[in-house]
């Protein structure tokens, strides 16, 4: 209890009083909701009876009457509490004690009432009776607005929002719209595939071999079988097995896991969609991809156009197509066609690209494209015909044996789709796997270091001509909702362990809040911004440094800076 704030202690006292009055603050009974806030507003009719439920989000108590707001899954609705309406007899406890003194902002309340319109035209529920459905013991991080209309204490710190997504969704309702659109995207894509006659499937998350991509896997151990297992890094090889088994088209929305770095566009757990269609090639898949993304953009936003940062993009088909060789030649003047590994390595060095001897021909070309070309493609653009060394699971190009029939779709300098004419020659596939093994031995950490012999066996039974495509769903919804960070489109992104809360004085908190906005400030500037007296300033800085939240650094020229300790 000693660690609880004053507000939390008060709420627990109210909880105890409710129980003493015989009121269960967490009743198990079903509450018979008849309407939500949107239905009331859309179909409003004076004197209609309604039963609604939601969180108490604001209230203005004026003696024997009070206006308040309830928030449910669809928004907010105003409710009017009147003592004599709620307490018809002499006993006014329900209003005077329960409503006025024992309820708090954040509590879940059920209301039965009738609809009316206030003098200022606000659609409102006049409360006839109310029921406490769940007592909130922790105050919501609600912003407050002062007399001048300035907003204070808004719940905007990204780390806190991602850690406490449940609070973020309550106090920042606009955040919910991102996840509504995410669901619309999945539904639109699933419907598009189903209408085309393709079959949704599920493949293993725990796999004996980490295959289908080059990435560091998460590893675990199965006790009963006494074998190591790997969290799925891709589902490609399993979906192709199903094409071997006779399905003409299969797709899956898969959770994949890669034990690698985290940044604004990468989370160790992410969602990918992969689809494989028999008797098709990558040219067909480009047409299919265009139609798919145009359809999804309209389903999510009502238009093919979207804004991403400073860019205005249009997902309306058709999209520009350019080969990787032509792209590199366009932006660097260097033609990779027919060049040896050493010639490409030298060219990369001359372009100022950092390379090393572990990089094979494909990795070198990938580095050149990534450094010099990728960022130039803002509108959806297909980059086609990748060198064979970059695509161990892709069919050799029908016109040039040095290339493969592969495309990637670039948007705003990022890849959102990757597709092949799938390699179905088991002998060629074995040789490609063995070449990848050699690259892995040389130290190429992006080369596949294992061979899936069962997949080779499946190919030996025969796989029809097939085209496959993968789309990063998290990245796609980022583009469609104008979010620069992947954490904004994941309900619960991976986070570092939460630091133990440190009790700070109000002055130290204010200084730390100023510092968080900049991470590093000149000592005297920070002091001036804080507005504290010399004594309070000294105490506040000592608090922050003692608790390892900040430190004072001295630069070569003698200047003093205060820096956040991450």
């Amino acid at each position: 209890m000693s660690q609880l704030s004053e507000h939390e202690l008060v709420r627990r006292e109210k909880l105890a009083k409710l129980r003493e009055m015989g009121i269960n603050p967490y009743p198990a009974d079903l509450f018979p909701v008849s309407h939500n806030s949107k239905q009331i507003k859309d179909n409003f009719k004076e004197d209609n009876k309604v039963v609604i439920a939601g969180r108490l989000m604001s209230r203005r108590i004026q003696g024997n009457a009070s206006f308040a707001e309830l928030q449910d899954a669809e928004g907010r609705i105003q409710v009017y509490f009147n003592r004599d309406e709620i307490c018809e007899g002499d006993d006014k406890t329900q209003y005077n004690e329960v409503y006025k003194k024992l309820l708090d902002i954040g509590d879940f309340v059920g209301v039965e009432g009738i609809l009316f319109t206030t003098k200022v035209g606000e659609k409102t529920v006049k409360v006839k009776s109310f029921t406490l459905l769940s007592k909130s013991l922790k105050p919501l991080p609600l912003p407050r607005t002062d007399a001048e209309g300035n907003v204070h204490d808004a719940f905007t710190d990204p780390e806190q929002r991602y850690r406490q997504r449940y609070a973020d969704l309550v106090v920042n309702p606009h955040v919910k719209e991102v996840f509504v659109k995410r669901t619309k995207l999945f539904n639109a894509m699933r419907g598009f595939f189903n209408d085309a006659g393709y079959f949704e499937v599920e493949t293993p998350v725990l796999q004996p071999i980490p295959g289908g991509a080059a990435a560091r896997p998460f590893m675990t151990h199965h006790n009963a079988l006494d074998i190591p297992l790997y969290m799925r890094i891709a589902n490609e090889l399993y979906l192709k097995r199903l094409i071997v088994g006779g399905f003409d088209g299969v797709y899956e929305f898969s959770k994949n896991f890669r034990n690698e770095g985290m940044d604004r566009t990468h989370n160790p757990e992410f969602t990918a969609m992969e689809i494989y269609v028999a008797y098709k090639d990558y040219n067909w898949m480009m047409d299919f991809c265009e139609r798919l993304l145009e359809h999804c953009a309209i389903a999510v936003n009502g238009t093919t156009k979207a804004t991403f940062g400073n860019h205005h993009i249009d997902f309306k088909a058709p999209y520009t197509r350019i080969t990787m060789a032509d792209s590199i030649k366009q932006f660097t003047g260097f033609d990779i066609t027919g060049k040896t590994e050493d010639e490409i390595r030298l060219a990369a060095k001359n372009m100022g690209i950092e390379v090393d001897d572990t990089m094979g021909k494909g990795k070198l070309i990938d580095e050149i494209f990534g450094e010099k070309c990728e960022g130039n493609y803002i509108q959806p653009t297909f980059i086609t015909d990748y060198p064979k060394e970059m695509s161990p699971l892709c069919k050799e190009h029908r016109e040039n044996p040095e290339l493969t029939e592969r495309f990637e779709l670039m948007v705003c300098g990022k890849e959102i789709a990757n597709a092949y004419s799938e390699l179905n020659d088991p002998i060629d596939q074995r040789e490609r796997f063995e070449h990848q093994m050699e690259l892995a031995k040389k130290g190429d950490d992006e080369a596949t270091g294992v061979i899936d012999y069962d997949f080779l066996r499946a190919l030996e039974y025969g796989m029809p001509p097939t085209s496959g495509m993968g789309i990063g769903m998290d990245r796609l919804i980022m583009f469609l909702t104008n979010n620069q960070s992947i954490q904004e489109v994941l309900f619960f992104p991976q986070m570092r362990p939460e630091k133990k809360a440190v009790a700070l004085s109000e002055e130290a908190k204010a200084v730390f809040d100023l510092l968080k906005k900049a991470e590093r400030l000149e000592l005297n500037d920070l002091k001036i911004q804080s507005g504290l007296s010399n004594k309070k300033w000294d105490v506040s800085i000592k608090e922050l440094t003692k608790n390892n939240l900040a430190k004072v650094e001295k630069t070569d020229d003698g200047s003093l800076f205060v820096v956040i300790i991450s």
Side-chain angles (χ1 to χ4, degrees):
M1 281 294 187
S2 61
Q3 296 180 352
L4 297 175
S5 70
E6 182 180 345
H7 291 296
E8 290 171 312
L9 288 170
V10 168
R11 290 191 178 214
R12 279 164 171 75
E13 290 171 3
K14 292 180 180 181
L15 182 76
K17 289 179 181 177
L18 286 164
R19 285 180 165 144
E20 287 172 9
M21 295 172 68
I23 298 173
N24 183 353
Y26 305 104
D29 314 51
L30 174 149
F31 189 78
V33 174
S34 65
H35 295 76
N36 61 45
S37 59
K38 185 176 185 300
Q39 290 168 338
I40 290 174
K41 293 173 183 177
D42 290 348
N43 305 290
F44 187 82
K45 189 175 181 181
E46 293 278 343
D47 297 325
N48 258 16
K49 293 182 179 180
V50 296
V51 181
I52 62 172
R55 282 188 189 271
L56 190 64
M57 294 300 288
S58 70
R59 58 179 176 169
R60 304 181 301 282
I61 297 176
Q62 300 167 337
N64 297 335
S66 171
F67 282 100
E69 282 185 306
L70 282 190
Q71 179 172 296
D72 60 19
E74 296 297 333
R76 292 189 184 188
I77 187 76
Q78 181 168 272
V79 290
Y80 173 65
F81 290 82
N82 182 285
R83 187 188 67 179
D84 296 328
E85 290 281 351
I86 294 168
C87 311
E88 294 181 348
D90 294 334
D91 185 356
K92 307 299 183 183
T93 303
Q94 184 75 351
Y95 182 84
N96 289 342
E97 296 296 322
V98 178
Y99 175 73
K100 288 179 68 173
K101 297 179 181 180
L102 300 180
L103 292 192
D104 288 294
I105 302 301
D107 290 352
F108 279 92
V109 179
V111 166
E112 296 182 46
I114 60 172
L115 302 182
F116 78 103
T117 305
T118 65
K119 292 178 181 179
V120 296
E122 182 79 14
K123 296 173 180 177
T124 306
V125 180
K126 181 186 293 184
V127 180
K128 291 295 185 180
S129 65
F130 70 90
T131 305
L132 175 62
L133 301 178
S134 181
K135 182 69 182 165
S136 170
L137 298 184
K138 195 173 187 69
L140 290 168
L142 285 165
R144 55 186 177 83
T145 306
D146 62 23
E148 286 75 39
N150 300 310
V151 177
H152 302 275
D153 301 327
F155 193 55
T156 56
D157 179 71
E159 182 171 338
Q160 290 300 312
R161 289 181 48 241
Y162 303 153
R163 286 192 192 283
Q164 300 181 44
R165 183 67 85 185
Y166 36 85
D168 185 32
L169 290 164
V170 175
V171 303
N172 296 319
H174 64 277
V175 171
K176 184 178 177 181
E177 183 59 28
V178 172
F179 296 98
V180 170
K181 288 186 173 184
R182 183 183 173 105
T183 295
K184 287 181 178 179
L185 171 62
F186 279 75
N187 289 344
M189 196 172 283
R190 181 175 278 113
F192 192 87
F193 295 153
N194 290 346
D195 289 346
Y198 306 137
F199 193 66
E200 184 170 10
V201 298
E202 293 179 304
T203 61
V205 173
L206 290 174
Q207 302 180 353
I209 295 175
R216 183 182 300 138
F218 288 92
M219 185 176 177
T220 187
H221 186 84
H222 192 290
N223 291 335
L225 296 177
D226 193 24
I227 58 170
L229 289 173
Y230 302 88
M231 298 288 282
R232 173 171 58 199
I233 60 173
N235 55 353
E236 176 171 347
L237 302 187
Y238 283 92
L239 292 174
K240 289 181 184 176
R241 284 172 168 92
L242 297 178
I243 297 296
V244 170
F247 287 95
D248 280 350
V250 292
Y251 70 93
E252 181 179 17
F253 293 99
S254 67
K255 281 289 187 183
N256 295 345
F257 307 85
R258 298 185 182 180
N259 195 0
E260 298 174 339
M262 293 170 53
D263 58 33
R264 291 172 67 84
T265 59
H266 294 88
N267 194 66
E269 176 183 351
F270 63 97
T271 304
M273 184 290 303
E274 295 205 22
I275 183 168
Y276 293 83
V277 185
Y279 312 113
K280 310 297 184 187
D281 67 4
Y282 80 138
N283 292 310
W284 176 90
M285 189 62 82
M286 273 187 270
D287 296 336
F288 184 78
C289 179
E290 289 174 336
R291 291 185 285 111
L292 169 67
L293 293 185
E294 180 179 305
H295 168 80
C296 289
I298 293 171
V300 171
N301 289 326
T303 175
T304 59
K305 296 179 180 179
T307 299
F308 187 70
N310 296 324
H311 301 304
H312 300 286
I313 51 181
D314 194 342
F315 285 96
K316 185 173 179 58
Y319 305 157
T320 300
R321 306 179 185 192
I322 184 171
T323 68
M324 175 168 275
D326 286 345
S327 175
I328 291 174
K329 188 174 181 180
Q330 177 184 349
F331 292 109
T332 70
F334 179 69
D335 189 353
I336 63 172
T337 306
K339 298 297 191 297
T340 65
E341 181 178 310
D342 289 339
E343 288 173 321
I344 295 172
R345 180 177 284 106
L346 178 61
K349 288 179 179 178
N350 291 338
M351 295 175 200
I353 298 172
E354 194 173 319
V355 298
D356 58 57
D357 292 338
T358 68
M359 295 180 177
K361 188 175 179 180
K363 183 70 179 293
L364 291 166
I365 293 170
D366 193 29
E367 288 293 314
I368 293 172
F369 179 78
E371 288 282 337
K372 300 297 181 180
C373 308
E374 197 171 77
N376 295 295
Y377 296 107
I378 304 304
Q379 297 304 320
T381 304
F382 290 117
I383 308 299
T384 69
D385 301 348
Y386 282 53
K388 185 183 289 187
E389 292 83 359
M390 295 177 65
S391 313
L393 297 169
C394 187
K395 182 169 285 191
E396 183 179 283
H397 198 282
R398 65 196 76 178
E399 296 174 0
N400 185 340
E402 291 188 355
L403 304 177
T404 56
E405 298 199 346
R406 173 185 177 185
F407 72 79
E408 286 187 332
L409 179 63
M410 310 299 299
V411 177
C412 292
K414 299 291 184 181
E415 171 233 325
I416 60 169
N418 185 21
Y420 306 157
S421 293
E422 300 295 336
L423 179 57
N424 60 344
D425 178 341
I427 295 174
D428 189 359
Q429 181 66 86
R430 183 181 294 270
E431 291 172 353
R432 303 269 198 101
F433 277 156
E434 290 170 348
H435 178 64
Q436 288 285 301
M437 288 284 285
E438 292 301 315
L439 291 176
K441 288 176 183 177
K442 284 175 59 179
D444 186 343
D445 59 1
E446 292 192 6
T448 304
V450 293
I451 295 178
D452 189 336
Y453 290 103
D454 179 69
F455 174 66
L456 290 175
R457 177 170 58 191
L459 287 187
E460 288 172 352
Y461 279 110
M463 185 175 86
T466 298
S467 183
M469 176 173 66
I471 292 177
M473 299 300 291
D474 306 318
R475 189 171 289 179
L476 178 56
I477 196 62
M478 286 170 62
F479 288 125
L480 291 173
T481 58
N482 193 17
N483 277 296
Q484 308 291 313
S485 171
I486 194 172
Q487 286 82 10
E488 291 288 352
V489 300
L490 302 175
F491 270 128
F492 304 106
Q494 194 65 45
M495 304 289 290
R496 294 183 185 278
E498 189 170 6
K499 290 183 179 179
K500 187 177 179 180
V502 177
L504 295 174
S505 67
E506 290 302 316
E507 291 83 3
K509 285 180 183 177
V511 173
F512 191 58
D513 286 341
L514 289 171
L515 191 56
K516 281 198 295 186
K517 294 175 182 178
E519 294 189 359
R520 185 175 188 269
L521 279 173
E522 201 275 326
L523 182 69
N524 199 47
D525 287 345
L526 182 57
K527 181 181 178 182
I528 292 170
Q529 289 183 40
S530 72
L532 298 174
S533 66
N534 288 337
K535 184 176 180 180
K536 287 185 176 180
W537 165 256
D538 290 340
V539 171
S540 298
I541 284 295
K542 285 178 182 177
E543 273 193 74
L544 296 178
T545 54
K546 180 182 177 181
N547 287 294
N548 292 318
L549 295 172
K551 62 183 178 179
V552 179
E553 291 182 345
K554 189 174 183 179
T555 61
D556 293 339
D557 64 1
S559 300
L560 295 176
F561 283 82
V562 185
V563 182
I564 280 186
I565 298 175
S566 58

